[in-house]
Amino acid sequence: MINKGDDRIMLPAVELYKALNKAQQQKLFDELQLAYDKLPKSTCKNCARCCSIGSPPAFFIEYINMYRYVRDHLKDRWQDFLSKSAEYFYLELVDVNQKCPFLGDDKRCDIYEVRPATCRFFGLLSKQEFEKGNLNQGLQYVAKKLWEDHQIKIPDEIANSKIEYCGDVSNSTGKPVPKKELGIIIGELAKLDAYFFPEQLVDQEGTMLPYPVHLMNTVLGDGARARKLKIMKEYADHQSRELLDPIVARAAKYEF
Ligand code: SF4
Ligand code: SF4
């Protein structure tokens, strides 16, 4: 799944450890888990097709929950997640080989316990409900604007990509989950983000970013993030990584 536009990366900076403390003190991670627990248990064929398209958007509370999980349980994978996420942050729209940075070589999610709600929801809706909301106009619009404003060519494979419905998910209720039930869970997660950001921003889904983009908002300085368009163009025009590689190397050195 692909980030629908560069305008969504301007989340105001929040000091991460203050946010983690606040979430712990106010038991927000418990509330997050209670919201997740409302979903039926599900299984699928683990083909990884849905994770190979990109990284889906996640609420800020989910991001800091993931950060905490990696810090406490997957420290040895940290550098790998950082470098893959830095690449993803810059190349998501110009490199057809980008996939979710948390997809393991064994086609399993490396952070399954803390995957975001958008991943948990996949395959739970009926085909009809899923296809109602699965339009690709956002991505085509981004591709058009990047070309018109910056002469950055988004490959057609990305601009026209669309995640297909998956009929290989079965859940413990034995029937599709109504969209309104997923909407209730989304509302609960949005309320948790309102502990950190203005409600208006949360209501506009402004706190929903893919995990690698949230992570780069923490790890990269303003200067490195501001070079995104330049790095995208360099890669789109010449497949060159001259500007990108030093930034990825620096990002991989970030410590908890
Ligand atoms: S949800 Fe479907 S597409 Fe995704 S990994 Fe499972 S079987 Fe594959
Ligand atoms: S977070 Fe996990 S489940 Fe979600 S897209 Fe990435 S690898 Fe797949």
Side-chain angles (χ1 to χ4, degrees), residues 1-253:
M1 295 172 211
I2 288 176
N3 183 21
K4 295 287 189 283
D6 285 340
D7 54 327
R8 302 179 82 197
I9 65 171
M10 299 309 288
L11 199 58
V14 169
E15 212 282 284
L16 190 68
Y17 276 83
K18 275 192 192 151
L20 278 165
N21 284 338
K22 184 173 178 176
Q24 251 145 3
Q25 278 161 10
Q26 310 221 16
K27 300 196 184 310
L28 304 185
F29 295 128
D30 296 345
E31 288 189 40
L32 175 64
Q33 192 56 52
L34 284 174
Y36 287 157
D37 288 346
K38 289 184 179 154
L39 289 168
K41 300 267 172 283
S42 63
T43 54
C44 76
K45 290 191 175 165
N46 295 315
C47 70
R49 177 173 52 86
C50 57
C51 310
S52 304
I53 296 180
S55 190
F59 285 98
F60 178 78
I61 185 69
E62 299 185 286
Y63 161 59
I64 59 175
N65 189 42
M66 180 280 284
Y67 183 97
R68 181 177 75 133
Y69 179 84
V70 174
R71 182 195 64 189
D72 297 346
H73 302 284
L74 291 174
K75 242 182 183 151
D76 57 326
R77 303 292 318 282
W78 181 230
Q79 285 194 332
D80 185 38
F81 291 151
L82 284 171
S83 53
K84 284 183 183 162
S85 295
E87 275 207 19
Y88 185 89
F89 174 77
Y90 290 103
L91 302 185
E92 170 194 12
L93 291 173
V94 288
D95 174 12
V96 294
N97 296 315
Q98 289 299 313
K99 54 190 179 194
C100 178
F102 299 96
L103 180 64
D105 295 337
D106 57 358
K107 292 190 172 179
R108 301 268 169 164
C109 175
D110 284 332
I111 51 160
Y112 189 78
E113 287 78 359
V114 290
R115 69 202 186 286
T118 39
C119 300
R120 292 165 197 259
F121 290 174
F122 191 64
L124 295 182
L125 289 174
S126 68
K127 188 166 194 276
Q128 197 188 19
E129 288 272 39
F130 177 84
E131 286 181 348
K132 258 192 245 164
N134 190 26
L135 303 171
N136 184 32
Q137 287 157 350
L139 202 47
Q140 286 167 352
Y141 175 78
V142 171
K144 185 168 171 281
K145 287 296 286 173
L146 282 169
W147 178 250
E148 284 172 0
D149 298 349
H150 306 285
Q151 289 71 57
I152 297 174
K153 172 80 180 106
I154 304 304
D156 291 344
E157 195 179 334
I158 293 177
N160 299 324
S161 65
K162 193 167 102 167
I163 190 148
E164 299 298 333
Y165 175 75
C166 174
D168 291 328
V169 178
S170 28
N171 79 67
S172 51
T173 68
K175 53 185 187 203
V177 177
K179 199 170 190 170
K180 71 170 190 256
E181 283 183 26
L182 301 187
I184 290 170
I185 294 173
I186 288 286
E188 288 173 4
L189 302 192
K191 271 191 204 148
L192 299 178
D193 268 14
Y195 280 83
F196 306 96
F197 299 102
E199 263 181 46
Q200 201 188 356
L201 181 71
V202 177
D203 290 347
Q204 291 165 352
E205 298 183 3
T207 60
M208 287 193 80
L209 300 171
Y211 275 170
V213 179
H214 274 298
L215 189 54
M216 288 305 112
N217 280 349
T218 298
V219 167
L220 299 175
D222 290 346
R225 279 187 288 135
R227 303 185 86 187
K228 184 166 180 175
L229 289 171
K230 222 173 167 177
I231 291 171
M232 285 170 71
K233 184 156 175 58
E234 182 190 63
Y235 190 88
D237 288 353
H238 312 292
Q239 305 278 292
S240 165
R241 303 169 52 105
E242 207 176 311
L243 292 171
L244 174 66
D245 281 343
I247 294 181
V248 171
R250 266 204 309 280
K253 288 188 183 140

